[in-house]
Amino acid sequence: MCTPEPGESMNIRQVVKDCLGIPYKHGGRDENGLDCLGLVWYFYKRLGIDIPDGDGLTIEPDWYKKDPNRLKNALAKQGKPVPINELAILDLLYFEMIEGVITHLGVLVENDLFMHCLQDRPVGLDRLSRRFWSKKLAGARRFV
């Protein structure tokens, strides 16, 4: 995998292609393994967009049980909120996989296609219009 030089922007399609199939790894932040936060951080980094790769605290596998608002609060400090009916390519998507708790992230890479990774699954693509995902979508943030 190639990493861009400082100031060099990569093509979105190439970055998507390079990320697809990277295995899931809790806390992963490189091509050897990524979790959903690691994926969005790695994806944006490859495009020359800097976002935090965490909140400075250890991310335990059950972090959401101890602080259900942790990810939601961290997201509120990044980028700009985007109404769901105004999504654009490169928007960060966040999902309530557990009712009332934001626990999953992805990136919109085409009009109805987003990239993400789930525990025990490699980085892949899904349609946002699938009933499952459209019901779980809780919001979006824009960095560009």
Side-chain angles (χ1 to χ4, degrees):
M1 291 199 193
C2 59
T3 302
E5 294 298 318
E8 179 185 350
S9 178
M10 291 192 73
N11 178 295
I12 294 170
R13 287 186 180 160
Q14 185 61 51
V15 175
V16 169
K17 182 179 174 187
D18 290 347
C19 290
L20 289 175
I22 294 176
Y24 176 87
K25 179 182 176 187
H26 178 77
R29 297 295 183 266
D30 60 34
E31 64 273 356
N32 295 312
L34 298 165
D35 58 18
C36 66
L37 175 57
L39 170 62
V40 297
W41 172 81
Y42 183 75
F43 178 85
Y44 287 126
K45 179 181 176 185
R46 299 279 311 272
L47 292 172
I49 301 165
D50 290 321
I51 66 167
D53 70 342
D55 58 6
L57 304 172
T58 302
I59 303 172
E60 301 294 334
D62 62 350
W63 61 267
Y64 57 91
K65 293 178 182 175
K66 297 173 186 166
D67 185 358
N69 291 315
R70 182 176 175 184
L71 185 52
K72 181 179 180 180
N73 292 338
L75 286 169
K77 299 174 187 173
Q78 305 301 320
K80 298 176 185 170
V82 179
I84 290 174
N85 62 345
E86 295 178 20
L87 294 176
I89 293 171
L90 294 183
D91 284 348
L92 180 148
L93 309 174
Y94 52 94
F95 301 86
E96 284 186 10
M97 301 301 282
I98 300 168
E99 189 173 341
V101 183
I102 307 299
T103 59
H104 189 58
L105 303 171
V107 178
L108 193 64
V109 295
E110 287 185 20
N111 288 335
D112 183 44
L113 202 61
F114 73 101
M115 186 170 57
H116 67 123
C117 62
L118 293 166
Q119 190 171 353
D120 299 325
R121 293 186 193 171
V123 174
L125 299 169
D126 261 305
R127 296 263 172 222
L128 194 54
S129 59
R130 277 188 51 213
R131 182 175 164 88
F132 177 83
W133 292 112
S134 63
K135 288 182 75 170
K136 299 287 185 183
L137 182 63
R141 306 294 291 185
R142 185 164 295 156
F143 299 101
V144 294

